[in-house]
Amino acid sequence: MKKFTIYLAGDGLPHMKKQDIFLIFIILVIAACAYCAHYYIAPPEGNYVEVKVDGVIEGTYSLSEDQEIVINGGTNVLKIEDGKAKMIEADCPDQLCVHQKEISAAHESIICLPNKVVVQTVTGNESGIDAMTN
Amino acid sequence: MKTKVGYYGIFLTLALILSYVESLLPIQIGIPGVKLGLANLVCVVALYKMRGKEVVILAIIRVLLAGFIFGNYFSIIYGLAGAILSVFVMIGLKKTEKFSVPGVSIAGGVSHNMGQLIVAVFVVQTYSVGYYFPVLLVAGLVTGLLIGICANEILKRITHINMKN
């Protein structure tokens, strides 16, 4: 006959070692540094959205103009409204890019991994108006 | 030997069921791609009950099966990158014997996300996914801690299982 022991809840949190706390601390510091670095490097507002498919720039579009952009021959549709860009359609099963929030600040991006589509906001002087294909 | 095969099957089945449960949970916390990683619970428990080599095999088979059943080609690639990296990091940390279960699990959660981010950089061929780095670090930390606490409680209760020899 096997003996069963009944455990009660409320043993409390597991005993964390000093190294565990140190590990958590290090991860938080790295995350904070990465966030700050990104925040300070990025200018506050993006003027254009750059659409990349498989690493190749497909087009650059102004955020000040309301429009709908068909990307990659129809796999994704991007909508620009009130200076904000949002993915409104994607043919991939997970629909993660459609659920992602709209972007407006510089270096924000919407990414659709299955279709290899990257939509990123850029400031005008860095992308070059030459790149505009609209 | 007989029981070992049995436990192997149970661990794998549990991992698959947890993958399924997770695919049912519609947790939309506004951060795409961030999951609880319930199936990783099985990996963390297995880490303390099986030999390292077997945990690696368990993790790979789990990702492949879960990918074929609930996911697609992409979830297999991302899952494999994350799972393999996290298992190796966890085995390494556990060997040092300086970390408790939640600590090992946190490292696993974070490295799982890093593995996926690295694959994402290669797939979309841009570093713009890099802005996601801090988000994924903290997400991995939180989910890793939760999974670690659960795993710690489970391990307290299954002390009679040992498959190391």
Side-chain angles (χ1 to χ4, degrees), chain B residues 18-164:
Chain B
L18 289 178
S19 295
Y20 177 58
V21 169
E22 189 157 315
S23 74
L24 289 179
L25 289 177
I27 310 178
Q28 287 288 341
I29 36 176
I31 315 169
V34 173
K35 294 196 302 179
L36 192 50
L38 274 177
N40 204 35
L41 183 59
V42 176
C43 274
V44 178
V45 172
L47 197 66
Y48 286 85
K49 292 294 175 190
M50 296 166 122
R51 274 177 293 188
K53 199 172 69 184
E54 294 163 341
V55 183
V56 175
I57 296 169
L58 182 76
I60 293 173
I61 296 177
R62 194 264 298 171
V63 172
L64 284 178
L65 286 179
F68 281 125
I69 302 172
F70 317 115
N72 49 38
Y73 165 71
F74 279 94
S75 58
I76 294 176
I77 300 290
Y78 287 103
L80 273 183
I84 292 173
L85 187 63
S86 90
V87 165
F88 277 109
V89 167
M90 288 197 291
I91 289 172
L93 276 198
K94 187 186 159 265
K95 278 220 175 106
T96 66
E97 292 187 348
K98 284 185 176 148
F99 296 90
S100 64
V101 181
V104 171
S105 173
I106 287 168
V110 171
S111 53
H112 187 277
N113 286 354
M114 288 310 106
Q116 298 198 323
L117 190 69
I118 291 166
V119 173
V121 167
F122 278 107
V123 169
V124 293
Q125 296 186 348
T126 167
Y127 294 106
S128 50
V129 284
Y131 90 104
Y132 227 55
F133 179 70
V135 179
L136 287 178
L137 272 184
V138 176
L141 177 70
V142 174
T143 57
L145 181 63
L146 292 176
I147 294 295
I149 291 171
C150 288
N152 197 50
E153 294 301 309
I154 293 170
L155 284 167
K156 274 189 212 164
R157 287 156 176 79
I158 54 166
T159 44
H160 56 285
I161 299 175
N162 189 6
M163 302 160 62
K164 292 216 166 152

Side-chain angles (χ1 to χ4, degrees), chain A residues 68-85:
Chain A
E68 271 185 32
I69 302 150
V70 178
I71 302 167
N72 198 14
T75 59
N76 298 65
V77 178
L78 184 79
K79 188 177 188 176
I80 297 177
E81 203 174 37
D82 302 330
K84 285 168 182 165

Side-chain angles (χ1 to χ4, degrees), chain A residues 44-122:
Chain A
E45 188 99 5
N47 304 334
Y48 295 94
V49 281
E50 193 177 74
V51 176
K52 275 188 194 170
V53 178
D54 207 357
V56 181
I57 296 175
E58 200 180 90
T60 311
Y61 308 91
S62 171
L63 271 175
S64 51
E65 219 176 300
D66 288 2
Q67 55 188 320
E68 271 185 32
I69 302 150
V70 178
I71 302 167
N72 198 14
T75 59
N76 298 65
V77 178
L78 184 79
K79 188 177 188 176
I80 297 177
E81 203 174 37
D82 302 330
K84 285 168 182 165
K86 186 166 176 38
M87 194 73 85
I88 55 169
E89 251 180 76
D91 66 355
C92 53
D94 53 21
Q95 299 284 312
L96 285 180
C97 56
V98 179
H99 290 137
Q100 226 167 313
K101 68 176 175 58
E102 51 196 15
I103 56 170
S104 59
H107 296 291
E108 281 189 309
S109 50
I110 299 176
I111 294 162
C112 175
L113 287 174
N115 293 332
K116 301 185 181 180
V117 171
V118 178
V119 178
Q120 193 179 17
T121 47
V122 288

